[in-house]
Amino acid sequence: MLDAKLKARLRLPLIAAPMLRVSGPALVSAACRAGVIGAFPTANAGGPEGLDDWLTRIAAEVREANAGAPYAPWCPNLIIRSPHMADDLAVLIRHKVEIVITSVGSPAAVTAPLHDIGALVLADVATLKHAEKAIAAGADGLVLLTAGAGGQTGWMNGFAFVRAVRAMFDGPIVLAGGVVDGHALLAAEVLGCDLAYMGTPFIATAESLAAQGYKDMLVGASMDDVLLTKAFSGLQTNMLRPSILAAGLDPDNLDESITLRSAREMFGPGGAGPRRWVDVWSAGHSVSGVTAVQPVAELVEALARDYAGAKGRLG
């Protein structure tokens, strides 16, 4: 289970999920100051030097703003198969980060050096087999990617996935996918989770790196506007139908047989089609709960009220 000292620093058992091209220093530091874990992909920083700068900036902003008061930790997301992984890992070790999320590969190569600095290692997994491998590799906790998550998503039902993992693992579990409000956050705890991921609502915050048009589209969208497709990445990915239409494509006639390589050549940097993540945007099922573009502090305040109300309903 989650360490009691860490849990005591959190206003809510929540991680502002790491999102490509969205999570930056302003969003992360605002989340930590508000009492939820702020996460970001190390890839967003553009290399080791940028990552060093980001971590220095986040630490300064959080500590200065909180003036000695408790704050939630920041949490880099280390993409294992990234060509910069070893260099990024060295930066994380130098900064002695408290928590790291690993994704796209086994955490086996990084658990020992991260444990040496006392870091908690959470591994992103989408299947029971991957969960078992991550546990064997020394991960302290698991992030369960379930159906309804934005971006490259899982396919497991959250209820069944959490209970199956909890039956074999007593470490921290994080539910990722479809956590829309304080009621869902409390439900994740009742289910057996220690924390939950929330991504899409944090895209529509004043501090996120997302384009204003992206934020506005989220406010106007519902989960009916979320399309599960392989067309842009070669993997099952939840994308916004209105952004696909705006990019000049028909969401009902996409190439679902595309390979990873072909998707990268078509929709990646320098591709012939619209850029994935830049022109065609992602969202999870929690988009139905996005009603306004607001500062992170206001979002967390609203979540805290809803979470308390949900607890009250349960008596």
Side-chain angles (χ1 to χ4, degrees), residues 85-142:
M85 193 278 288
D87 291 333
D88 286 351
L89 175 62
V91 176
L92 302 187
I93 291 171
R94 187 163 65 250
H95 281 263
K96 296 184 178 180
V97 295
E98 297 181 74
I99 309 176
V100 174
I101 296 165
T102 66
S103 59
V104 195
S106 170
V110 303
T111 49
L114 288 172
H115 285 160
D116 285 345
I117 61 167
L120 181 73
V121 180
L122 305 176
D124 219 5
V125 298
T127 68
L128 288 175
K129 183 177 181 179
H130 289 152
E132 290 167 351
K133 287 184 175 180
I135 295 167
D140 303 295
L142 302 172

Side-chain angles (χ1 to χ4, degrees), residues 18-288:
M19 296 171 284
L20 284 170
R21 299 181 180 272
V22 171
S23 305
L27 193 160
V28 172
S29 61
C32 296
R33 295 196 306 269
V36 301
I37 297 169
F40 68 98
T42 58
N44 282 4
E49 290 185 5
L51 179 58
D52 181 76
D53 178 68
W54 277 30
L55 288 170
T56 300
R57 176 180 163 187
I58 290 166
E61 290 180 358
V62 173
R63 290 167 180 158
E64 181 180 349
N66 282 53
Y71 53 81
W74 42 95
C75 177
N77 169 209
L78 193 60
I79 299 171
I80 299 298
R81 294 180 187 172
S82 165
H84 303 294
M85 193 278 288
D87 291 333
D88 286 351
L89 175 62
V91 176
L92 302 187
I93 291 171
R94 187 163 65 250
H95 281 263
K96 296 184 178 180
V97 295
E98 297 181 74
I99 309 176
V100 174
I101 296 165
T102 66
S103 59
V104 195
S106 170
V110 303
T111 49
L114 288 172
H115 285 160
D116 285 345
I117 61 167
L120 181 73
V121 180
L122 305 176
D124 219 5
V125 298
T127 68
L128 288 175
K129 183 177 181 179
H130 289 152
E132 290 167 351
K133 287 184 175 180
I135 295 167
D140 303 295
L142 302 172
V143 178
L144 307 188
L145 188 61
T146 70
Q152 292 174 354
T153 186
W155 53 91
M156 299 285 192
N157 173 277
F159 289 98
F161 198 10
V162 171
R163 296 312 302 161
V165 171
R166 184 49 84 200
M168 67 180 186
F169 180 62
D170 62 1
I173 291 178
V174 185
L175 175 65
V179 178
V180 67
D181 56 19
H183 282 70
L185 186 55
L186 180 60
E189 285 189 294
V190 173
L191 196 57
C193 297
D194 301 273
L195 298 161
Y197 256 23
M198 180 176 284
T200 302
F202 281 94
I203 301 174
T205 56
E207 295 89 347
S208 93
L209 297 174
Q212 188 61 44
Y214 188 1
K215 298 177 185 182
D216 292 340
M217 186 175 287
L218 292 172
V219 173
S222 76
M223 68 175 73
D224 283 347
D225 295 305
V226 177
L227 176 68
L228 183 62
T229 177
K230 291 183 178 180
F232 299 99
S233 68
L235 299 171
Q236 294 282 15
T237 307
N238 276 324
M239 308 297 280
L240 277 170
R241 292 177 66 95
S243 73
I244 299 171
L245 287 167
L249 301 176
D250 181 356
D252 295 318
N253 288 285
L254 299 172
D255 182 6
E256 298 296 338
S257 64
I258 196 168
T259 64
L260 290 168
R261 180 177 178 179
S262 296
R264 183 171 59 252
E265 292 173 349
M266 176 63 70
F267 302 111
R275 293 276 303 280
R276 59 191 183 193
W277 323 126
V278 177
D279 304 308
V280 180
W281 297 322
S282 171
H285 291 178
S286 61
V287 71
S288 281

